[in-house]
Amino acid sequence: MNLGSPSLEAMRERVNHARLSLASAGASENLYRLARTLALLPEHQHSVDWIDLRADALGLRSECLFRIEQYASAAEADAQILALLTGQPLAERRVQALSRMAFACMQVAQHETAFRCAMAAFQLAMQHNFKGHAVVALERTAMCYSLLGDLTSSERIMTEALELARQVGDDAFVRSRLSNFMFLSWMIHDNAIERQDWLGAKNALERVSDIAREGNQLIESATGFEACLWRSNHAGWLRRSKEYDRARCEFEAVYATASQQGWVSITRHASLELAYIAHANQHPADALVFARRTLRDESDPDGYGLNERAHALMVLVLHGLGRPDQAARHALAGDHLRHQKQQQRLAVAERLLAIQPSIDAALHDCDKLRIEAEIERMRETRGDAF
């Protein structure tokens, strides 16, 4: 080996350092560190150990990109992993990459692709007895079911994931699952509200009250991003349960922590949730401040559509204040965003076409017919084919 080439042990130490700092350091700082590490990894090394290390570094890069809402870029990083692992005996890395890709594709409205990735990750995890990874894949599958309109399957599968997590994981692992279940309760509640299913919305929140208590007990030993995410998800549940004062206190603390760390995916949610709370408490000036903060914090078109929702809330608040001209401007901005969002989705879909071969290759060892049959069943139930 060239004397100037880094050793495997030295590079592994760099990657592990990036992993350890992921919970506390800002995402941008970690992305810079990982970019330097990936650039230093020798291209001519093709042993399993070197490939595994490169896959590990790319996976950490994907996690960093999640935190600043660059989901398409995260999916591309995981597609690199899948391509890198072709013909390699590194099934665990493949499962992890598929699970992350499922999450990324959900955020850019590629729900059927996300479902394929999540189901493939689950099937591969069970084939290799990676039960911890199977839990994560089940969670992603549950979220996909919700986004594709099957709320009953969504909640059932998330319950199965939590039961399996309690069998195979430690407190930290269970904490993360509880946090994700809390977030899913938001999704089910909000979907029910859109359908004017008031009882379904109420039941979605009540069914996770025990999870809220359990999570609050376990989170006392958590720190960093994990603790901040739980508090955000819990505060969202409180807000939807109309416990506005408690929700406001939690979201204010969440926003302060996430802002300091550069966790944009959390700060923007917290801003908008604080705007909703202020509106519910009949504090229109505060509602406008928090909604504008959501707009100000926009960083990437791959996000959750928070700007569109912020404009809609501002229209409502401004009409209530007797300021129809300003309300009209925000309504127009919301219309523009909806059009822009559709264009962005088309652009992202085209961008992600490049990773489709990696997904197809990963599905080779899975029950692809079963996955496609489920997608078709949900299309027929919805009466569409998106």
Side-chain angles (χ1 to χ4, degrees), residues 226-293:
E226 179 192 5
C228 194
L229 185 60
W230 162 260
R231 292 190 176 99
S232 178
N233 288 339
H234 181 255
W237 175 73
L238 288 172
R239 199 267 291 176
R240 287 159 175 79
S241 300
K242 295 184 170 51
E243 295 191 41
Y244 297 127
D245 289 342
R246 289 178 63 196
R248 177 181 54 77
C249 289
E250 284 206 37
F251 271 125
E252 286 174 348
V254 162
Y255 184 86
T257 300
S259 295
Q260 185 178 18
Q261 298 296 337
W263 296 332
V264 179
S265 60
I266 297 180
T267 58
R268 297 188 64 225
H269 271 292
S271 295
L272 187 57
E273 290 286 326
L274 285 165
Y276 284 133
I277 291 167
H279 178 60
N281 285 334
Q282 299 183 6
H283 297 149
D286 289 342
L288 291 174
V289 167
F290 290 125
R292 289 192 181 105
R293 184 189 293 175

Side-chain angles (χ1 to χ4, degrees), residues 90-124:
L90 297 169
E92 187 173 15
R93 296 287 187 208
R94 187 175 291 109
V95 169
Q96 291 170 316
L98 283 165
S99 279
R100 284 190 302 266
M101 191 179 289
F103 184 80
C105 288
M106 276 188 268
Q107 310 315 316
V108 293
Q110 303 300 305
H111 300 145
E112 291 186 353
T113 299
F115 183 81
R116 292 183 182 97
C117 290
M119 286 287 286
F122 174 68
Q123 291 181 10
L124 289 171

Side-chain angles (χ1 to χ4, degrees), residues 163-176:
E163 290 172 354
L164 183 58
R166 290 193 174 106
Q167 296 172 25
V168 303
D170 57 12
D171 281 355
F173 187 70
V174 173
R175 274 197 307 263
S176 293

Side-chain angles (χ1 to χ4, degrees), residues 139-266:
E139 283 181 351
R140 305 283 157 83
T141 302
M143 290 179 183
C144 288
Y145 270 115
S146 177
L147 291 166
L148 291 168
D150 188 345
L151 304 185
T152 301
S153 294
S154 175
E155 194 165 11
R156 173 179 56 80
I157 290 172
M158 188 61 104
T159 301
E160 292 174 5
L162 185 55
E163 290 172 354
L164 183 58
R166 290 193 174 106
Q167 296 172 25
V168 303
D170 57 12
D171 281 355
F173 187 70
V174 173
R175 274 197 307 263
S176 293
R177 313 298 51 94
L178 293 170
S179 183
N180 290 342
F181 204 140
M182 190 65 66
F183 180 72
L184 183 68
S185 77
W186 285 28
M187 295 174 65
I188 293 174
H189 169 275
D190 292 354
N191 284 338
I193 290 293
E194 287 179 8
R195 301 192 318 272
Q196 298 186 353
D197 178 6
W198 316 120
L199 180 61
K202 180 173 178 285
N203 289 340
L205 297 178
E206 290 180 348
R207 282 193 294 267
V208 296
S209 57
D210 289 342
I211 287 172
R213 284 190 289 272
E214 183 181 358
N216 278 332
Q217 292 173 353
L218 290 176
I219 206 63
E220 292 176 1
S221 58
T223 59
F225 186 83
E226 179 192 5
C228 194
L229 185 60
W230 162 260
R231 292 190 176 99
S232 178
N233 288 339
H234 181 255
W237 175 73
L238 288 172
R239 199 267 291 176
R240 287 159 175 79
S241 300
K242 295 184 170 51
E243 295 191 41
Y244 297 127
D245 289 342
R246 289 178 63 196
R248 177 181 54 77
C249 289
E250 284 206 37
F251 271 125
E252 286 174 348
V254 162
Y255 184 86
T257 300
S259 295
Q260 185 178 18
Q261 298 296 337
W263 296 332
V264 179
S265 60
I266 297 180

Side-chain angles (χ1 to χ4, degrees), residues 22 25-32 34 60-74 103-104 107-108 225 258-269 297-304 306 351:
L22 195 61
S28 296
E29 178 185 339
N30 270 309
L31 280 170
Y32 174 73
L34 286 164
L60 290 173
R61 173 175 167 77
S62 175
E63 291 184 34
C64 287
L65 289 165
F66 283 163
R67 299 184 183 187
I68 55 174
E69 295 189 303
Q70 293 186 16
Y71 299 111
S73 296
F103 184 80
Q107 310 315 316
V108 293
F225 186 83
S259 295
Q260 185 178 18
Q261 298 296 337
W263 296 332
V264 179
S265 60
I266 297 180
T267 58
R268 297 188 64 225
H269 271 292
D297 284 351
E298 182 183 17
S299 63
D300 190 87
D302 291 350
Y304 292 83
L306 299 183
R351 181 176 167 185

